[in-house]
Amino acid sequence: MESLRKDIRYAVRMLAKNPGFTLIGVFTLALGIAASTALFSVVYGVLLRPLPYPKPSQIVRLWEVDSAGNRMNFADPNFEDVRSQNHSLQGVAEYGASISSVLGGTQPTRTMIASVSRDFFSVLGVQPVLGRGFAPEDQRFGAAPAVLVSYGYWKQYLGGGSDLPAIRLAIETRPASVVGVLPPRFRFPDEAEIWMPRELFERLPSRSAHNWHVIGRLRDGAALSQAHAELSTIARRLKQQYGQDTMTTDVAVATLQDSLTGRVRPALLILLSSAGFLLLIACANVANLLLAQAATRERELAIRAALGAERGRLVRQFLTEALLLSLAGGALGVFTALWGVNALLAIAPHDLPRLEEVSVNLPVLLFALGISVAVAAGLGVSTALRATSGSIGNALAEGGQRHAGTLRSQRLGRAIVAGQLAITLVLLVGAGLLGRSLLRVLSVDPGFQTERVVTMDLALPGTFLNTEKAPRAQFLSELFARLRGIPGVEEVGGTNALPLAAGMADGSYVLMNPEQISPHVRDLIKRSAEGSLESDQALVNQLSSFFDQLFRDPTHTGEADYAVASEGYFRALGIPLLRGRLFDDRDTRDAPHAALISESLARQRWPNEDPLGHSIEFGNMDGDLRLLTVVGVVGDVREASLEAPPRPTIYVNYRQRPQSTRTFSVVLRTGAEPGAVISAAREIVRQLDPSLPPRFNTYTRVIAGSLESRRFSLTLAGIFAATALLLATAGIYGVTAYSVTRRTREIGVRVALGARGLDVLRLVLGQGMVTAVIGVAIGVCGACLLTRAMQSLLFGVTSTDPLTFAAVALLLVLVALLASFIPARRAMRVDPLVALRDE
């Protein structure tokens, strides 16, 4: 302990003796440690931190899998069979979530409502902190709705009162009683605020109606692979038993944590690797500083060794100095990381899962401490061994120590700088590829116009009954008419699936000839649309059998997205009409149902003929079995993302099929100030229905929101690359300047023997350029290998894009040239008389 105390005191004196070196070393290490710690905070909170449930590794997510390997949600009958036939899961539950308008609190709200089946909360291991859970009498079709609310919703909108039976909510005008409050921060799924029993809704008998997400809990001792094998056997048995009636050929299983975070895992790991590279560059800079310091202390070390100091004792001294430097940098890095985490959360995409779990906590602090100690060990040992490897006699000889030490230090210093440049090139190439990808994405034509468009999202009550459909269509028509009267509004329309904001539902359609339908079936379809078949199950089965046979013919079936829209929707967004007509006043509820199809669907199904007048059956999307007649073809729209190709789409008229308008977005093309339009539109909605809280946005922000993940990755990669470039520039400058200082006598001799200033400039710049070229060459090879891991993050460019590689390599060479030029000019001005006299 006494020796350690002396080592620490001596290390403090040495660091205090060189404040410039100490400050630069501490801040450089703090930069690398802060970046690594901040990114690790995000990675730990999102990917590594266990879910806040009992035995979270046993909670799994299940999907149906079709013959093509595509994962799907579960159909009710398949879910029931899996639940009853498996032995590896102790509980299985369905769930789904959607936005609804809710009354009864302090104000109307647009709230995420989750529908969950029995066993949902037991699978997660969650119990109410106030009140009770769902009772068996709550979980049956036709029961009076009972709901659970989140802790935050209870506090913010229900006043935090303990008298739950007195609280009544209206969810889409349907009264519901609050029976319990769930624990703080529990918001699964999809940031839900209210939970209701899934059993309140009708069970769908179709095995192709894939509507529900499913979770389960493994039995104690059961492995994930064991559960997957058993569920796959059940799926094959169902396929063998029901044949064409079910699309399921397998069941996929993954831990719930992996299912929540799998989409963002590659990007976060790549960003964490980038932070690690930045830390390596910072360590390389500090290593060069330490080597320079060690070179100036060679004579001191030689004297200490001559007086009897063992090499291990000298190594320990260097380790102590490096540890103090690293711990100081680590402490400053942690404080910087606290700010960095907040900055990351501010720019993180809103759909990044588990953001609330991100913080600088104990595991993150241990990570920072481990990084600091590892850096100290690496820097201390390497510097100490290098500094104590020379001959004592040579070090004590006059003049010998400077020249020998200089050669050794220069070679190692240039090697470190070459490594810095190589790592910097990898980071710059990664940022360049992401930047070029973003530019390619922004250049994609979405198929519609986004400038001067205001959006208004509404959560409307469900139209489950036939008597509710006409009032819904009338409400929307009245809303459109009033919104058109706002000064500056040029066009108004609406849809249930806004491109780049809400994904469209998709399903199977069948091409039909109306002559295929017998008068008897035609009558059944009409009665079904009127709701008069519900009490006659035999006729319902007969009608279902007819359409099941049609959907089994692959030559007449296909997959398409489904959207409800108004005639003004296409004009408001500038979606071009390519053939036929748009919806208009002729498309009344009782008229033949009209459909618009996208260009890609027309090209796919009718490549060499006119699609107008053809009939489509798409009733599995909304329960309306009346045929759709194609009246027009409109341009393709990229609805999922700008990076995904347009999908075949079928549009139906909101007047004729209003049952799918539960979530509805109005678009207003305006030449006026958006703020004035939004205020007027909000007042119109309040007048028509005070229970509807609208949410407004501009379409430019909608587009920006769809690119949040890509911008987030690019911003961080760009920051890391720019910082790495600055550190590498400082490293080149430092090594070159140190080399010039140590070679003052040599340069003086060269000048005295007739060397010109340009010769000296060429000498110094040549050494810098050789180092830069070697570093760039190594970096290009490394980048070719490492950037393959980010191929999934790229769009429109390859991971070995030659333009990006060439631009980055040229940039680094120019930066190295500039960093070497400043000390090279100083070398040109060396006075040989002064240099030789100093020696």
Side-chain angles (χ1 to χ4, degrees):
M1 293 301 297
E2 179 64 21
S3 297
L4 177 62
R5 185 180 65 83
K6 290 180 178 179
D7 286 343
I8 293 175
R9 289 179 60 188
Y10 186 76
V12 170
R13 288 203 307 269
M14 292 301 298
L15 293 177
K17 184 179 177 181
N18 300 280
F21 156 78
T22 303
L23 289 176
I24 293 174
V26 167
F27 279 107
T28 301
L29 287 177
L31 185 63
I33 292 173
S36 302
T37 302
L39 254 297
F40 181 77
S41 299
V42 177
V43 170
Y44 179 78
V46 174
L47 300 182
L48 303 179
R49 190 172 190 171
L51 294 174
Y53 311 124
K55 299 180 179 179
S57 61
Q58 294 182 232
I59 306 174
V60 295
R61 172 81 191 278
L62 280 63
W63 297 266
E64 293 189 42
V65 180
D66 64 15
S67 57
N70 300 313
R71 292 182 174 185
M72 307 172 293
N73 292 335
F74 266 80
D76 283 328
N78 291 337
F79 164 75
E80 293 161 358
D81 288 335
V82 166
R83 180 174 60 183
S84 62
Q85 296 178 28
N86 90 87
H87 299 91
S88 55
L89 301 173
Q90 68 182 46
V92 189
E94 290 179 314
Y95 69 92
S98 62
I99 293 287
S100 297
S101 295
V102 180
L103 298 176
T106 55
Q107 65 186 57
T109 61
R110 283 171 48 87
T111 305
M112 185 66 73
I113 310 291
S115 301
V116 300
S117 70
R118 62 181 176 90
D119 294 336
F120 176 82
F121 293 107
S122 63
V123 164
L124 294 176
V126 174
Q127 296 295 327
V129 295
L130 182 65
R132 63 172 177 85
F134 293 134
E137 57 269 21
D138 300 324
Q139 298 170 311
R140 58 182 177 81
F141 183 67
V147 300
L148 301 173
V149 298
S150 72
Y151 192 87
Y153 190 91
W154 172 64
K155 280 285 190 183
Q156 184 174 359
Y157 297 109
L158 304 182
S162 58
D163 187 11
L164 296 182
I167 301 175
R168 291 290 185 273
L169 299 179
I171 302 175
E172 295 186 347
T173 71
R174 191 178 184 183
S177 59
V178 177
V179 298
V181 178
L182 291 170
R185 300 179 66 182
F186 178 76
R187 301 279 300 279
F188 182 78
D190 299 332
E191 299 298 305
E193 298 276 14
I194 297 176
W195 293 259
M196 62 172 48
R198 178 261 175 275
E199 291 79 6
L200 294 176
F201 304 98
E202 188 175 5
R203 171 190 180 276
L204 296 180
S206 171
R207 291 184 180 270
S208 60
H210 303 280
N211 295 317
W212 297 97
H213 305 290
V214 171
I215 57 171
R217 178 177 283 274
L218 295 171
R219 294 188 184 277
D220 292 338
L224 192 66
S225 57
Q226 175 187 344
H228 179 241
E230 182 188 39
L231 295 172
S232 296
T233 301
I234 295 173
R236 289 192 295 268
R237 188 162 59 239
L238 293 177
K239 185 65 177 178
Q240 184 177 8
Q241 182 177 355
Y242 295 102
Q244 295 292 330
D245 290 337
T246 180
M247 299 169 61
T248 302
T249 60
D250 196 0
V251 173
V253 188
T255 64
L256 180 61
Q257 183 156 348
D258 287 344
S259 74
L260 292 175
T261 61
R263 177 179 57 84
V264 300
R265 180 183 298 273
L268 287 182
L269 292 181
I270 288 174
L271 290 173
L272 182 61
S273 301
S274 300
F277 282 145
L278 185 61
L279 178 61
L280 286 177
I281 294 174
C283 291
N285 258 13
V286 176
N288 264 334
L289 290 173
L290 289 173
L291 286 172
Q293 286 293 102
T296 63
R297 295 170 62 184
E298 283 183 352
R299 187 173 181 84
E300 169 210 333
L301 296 175
I303 293 174
R304 294 178 65 182
L307 293 176
E310 297 179 354
R311 190 181 186 191
R313 183 69 179 80
L314 299 178
V315 169
R316 192 173 68 190
Q317 180 62 52
F318 274 94
L319 272 174
T320 305
E321 294 178 20
L323 182 62
L324 287 179
L325 195 67
S326 296
L327 289 179
L332 181 60
V334 168
F335 284 110
T336 307
L338 291 171
W339 170 85
V341 167
N342 292 331
L344 286 178
L345 294 179
I347 66 173
H350 71 281
D351 59 348
L352 186 67
R354 306 189 68 195
L355 274 182
E356 69 281 357
E357 304 288 340
V358 176
S359 63
V360 179
N361 50 23
L362 181 60
V364 174
L365 294 177
L366 292 175
F367 171 84
L369 177 61
I371 287 289
S372 302
V373 173
V375 167
L379 292 176
V381 170
S382 61
T383 306
L385 294 179
R386 185 70 182 175
T388 59
S389 62
S391 167
I392 297 176
N394 289 339
L396 292 174
E398 183 177 357
Q401 64 89 16
R402 288 194 74 180
H403 184 66
T406 297
L407 290 178
R408 294 199 306 271
S409 300
Q410 284 180 15
R411 293 192 191 101
L412 184 58
R414 286 198 291 267
I416 292 174
V417 168
Q420 280 184 290
L421 287 172
I423 296 174
T424 301
L425 186 138
V426 173
L427 293 180
L428 285 171
V429 166
L433 292 174
L434 290 175
R436 291 204 66 200
S437 295
L438 180 60
L439 292 177
R440 291 291 181 91
V441 172
L442 292 174
S443 67
V444 170
D445 180 10
F448 56 91
Q449 301 174 12
T450 61
E451 298 297 328
R452 302 188 298 112
V453 175
V454 173
T455 67
M456 178 175 67
D457 299 327
L458 299 172
L460 302 170
T463 52
F464 303 108
L465 302 177
N466 198 54
T467 55
E468 297 171 335
K469 296 177 182 178
R472 169 61 54 78
Q474 292 172 2
F475 169 81
L476 292 176
S477 296
E478 176 66 16
L479 177 62
F480 292 150
R482 293 200 184 188
L483 292 175
R484 288 191 187 95
I486 298 176
V489 171
E490 300 168 1
E491 187 56 80
V492 177
T495 181
N496 71 327
L498 202 62
L500 304 180
M504 293 184 184
D506 64 339
S508 299
Y509 65 86
V510 61
L511 305 181
M512 292 192 62
N513 185 341
E515 296 178 359
Q516 293 177 264
I517 304 178
S518 66
H520 174 63
V521 173
R522 197 182 302 275
D523 178 63
L524 291 180
I525 292 175
K526 180 179 178 182
R527 292 169 61 186
S528 173
E530 295 170 351
S532 59
L533 280 187
E534 295 178 358
S535 58
D536 195 332
Q537 189 61 44
L539 291 179
V540 170
N541 292 339
Q542 184 179 350
L543 190 60
S544 298
S545 176
F546 171 77
F547 282 105
D548 286 344
Q549 292 296 326
L550 289 175
F551 276 92
R552 290 179 181 178
D553 183 0
T555 62
H556 288 81
T557 60
E559 296 286 328
D561 288 341
Y562 171 87
V564 182
S566 71
E567 57 272 23
Y569 167 73
F570 302 95
R571 292 191 289 266
L573 290 186
I575 301 174
L577 174 66
L578 305 179
R579 191 177 303 170
R581 66 173 179 87
L582 296 176
F583 298 133
D584 55 33
D585 293 338
R586 289 173 287 177
D587 302 315
T588 62
R589 177 168 172 75
D590 297 325
H593 284 206
L596 298 172
I597 63 173
S598 65
E599 181 183 8
S600 57
L601 180 58
R603 187 169 52 248
Q604 180 187 98
R605 301 304 309 190
W606 296 278
N608 299 313
E609 58 180 311
D610 189 353
L612 300 184
H614 284 267
S615 298
I616 298 174
E617 167 55 48
F618 212 10
N620 60 322
M621 298 304 300
D622 57 14
D624 195 326
L625 300 177
R626 284 173 285 187
L627 296 186
L628 295 165
T629 301
V630 178
V631 299
V633 179
V634 296
D636 282 331
V637 168
R638 294 179 183 257
E639 58 89 12
S641 75
L642 290 175
E643 303 168 35
R647 284 178 46 83
T649 306
I650 297 174
Y651 300 92
V652 299
N653 193 303
Y654 79 96
R655 295 191 191 92
Q656 297 177 331
R657 302 204 176 194
Q659 55 267 39
S660 295
T661 58
R662 186 169 173 271
T663 55
F664 200 78
S665 297
V666 178
V667 290
L668 302 94
R669 175 164 294 281
T670 174
E673 178 66 28
V677 172
I678 289 173
S679 297
R682 191 187 303 277
E683 178 61 23
I684 288 173
V685 173
R686 190 193 65 79
Q687 293 173 2
L688 288 176
D689 190 344
S691 67
L692 289 180
R695 183 183 64 183
F696 291 92
N697 209 343
T698 62
Y699 225 123
T700 52
R701 286 206 292 261
V702 172
I703 295 288
S706 71
L707 298 174
E708 278 184 336
S709 296
R710 186 167 288 281
R711 291 183 189 275
F712 177 67
S713 299
L714 174 60
T715 299
L716 291 186
I719 291 173
F720 293 155
T723 305
L725 182 62
L726 290 175
L727 290 177
T729 304
I732 297 170
Y733 172 81
V735 167
T736 307
Y738 174 69
S739 174
V740 169
T741 301
R742 298 288 287 175
R743 299 175 66 185
T744 301
R745 183 188 182 196
E746 174 196 343
I747 294 173
V749 170
R750 288 176 179 270
V751 174
L753 294 176
R756 297 173 302 167
L758 288 178
D759 296 325
V760 175
L761 181 66
R762 189 180 302 112
L763 172 68
V764 177
L765 288 183
Q767 291 181 348
M769 286 300 96
V770 169
T771 302
V773 170
I774 293 174
V776 167
I778 296 173
V780 167
C781 295
C784 287
L785 297 175
L786 296 177
T787 53
R788 293 180 182 179
M790 60 185 299
Q791 183 62 58
S792 61
L793 303 179
L794 305 181
F795 177 79
V797 296
T798 65
S799 60
T800 56
D801 178 55
L803 180 60
T804 303
F805 274 73
V808 170
L810 179 61
L811 173 64
L812 279 182
V813 170
L814 292 177
V815 166
L817 182 63
L818 179 62
S820 302
F821 181 74
I822 298 174
R825 286 198 63 187
R826 188 163 64 246
M828 293 172 58
R829 299 169 182 169
V830 170
D831 187 334
L833 294 178
V834 175
L836 295 174
R837 184 168 58 246
D838 288 341
E839 288 294 325

